Amino acid sequence: QVQLVESGGGLVQAGGSLRLSCAASRSIVSINAMGWYRQTPGKRELVATISNVGGTNYADSVKGRFTISRDSAKNTVYLQMNSLKPEDTAVYYCYARFRSEGYWGQGTQVTVSS
């Protein structure tokens, strides 16, 4: 069982930045992989992932703008979002895969105004 608590969403103007945080209830080095999804009424998109050995992957739409990272001492994964665009507006969900099961955070709203 893994519990995930997200924070850091909000309203930002286009071109601005936000940092999302995802705090896990257990050591993140024991979790196979973590990442961020974003959800709109018509689409769910995988934004970024980080493995338990630190490898990262990004959706083409966010490459060069978003960075996923981790702080093992705090059991926390971050998503640094720069150069935000209105099309980045969505509910962002933290995801963890642990022992072949998936776990989700509660979601945090990101709204980017033009």
Side-chain angles (χ1 to χ4, degrees):
Q1 184 73 25
V2 180
Q3 292 182 316
L4 306 170
V5 179
E6 298 161 308
S7 62
L11 175 65
V12 66
Q13 193 169 357
S17 298
L18 287 172
R19 188 178 73 163
L20 307 183
S21 299
C22 175
S25 62
R26 65 175 298 124
S27 174
I28 60 174
V29 300
S30 70
I31 300 173
N32 299 106
M34 298 185 69
W36 294 89
Y37 285 78
R38 60 188 182 188
Q39 179 77 51
T40 62
K43 184 179 181 181
R44 181 184 299 159
E45 179 183 26
L46 178 61
V47 176
T49 62
I50 186 165
S51 74
N52 59 350
V53 294
T56 59
N57 287 283
Y58 298 92
D60 288 341
S61 58
V62 306
K63 285 181 179 177
R65 300 189 297 121
F66 291 11
T67 303
I68 188 169
S69 62
R70 64 183 182 181
D71 186 337
S72 297
K74 296 181 178 180
N75 291 339
T76 300
V77 170
Y78 303 96
L79 185 68
Q80 179 67 45
M81 305 185 294
N82 298 325
S83 302
L84 283 162
K85 304 174 181 179
E87 52 262 44
D88 295 319
T89 295
V91 179
Y92 284 71
Y93 292 90
C94 184
Y95 171 83
R97 188 175 75 250
F98 177 65
R99 294 178 177 174
S100 300
E101 296 194 7
Y103 302 87
W104 295 87
Q106 81 284 357
T108 185
Q109 176 71 47
V110 172
T111 302
V112 184
S113 62
S114 60

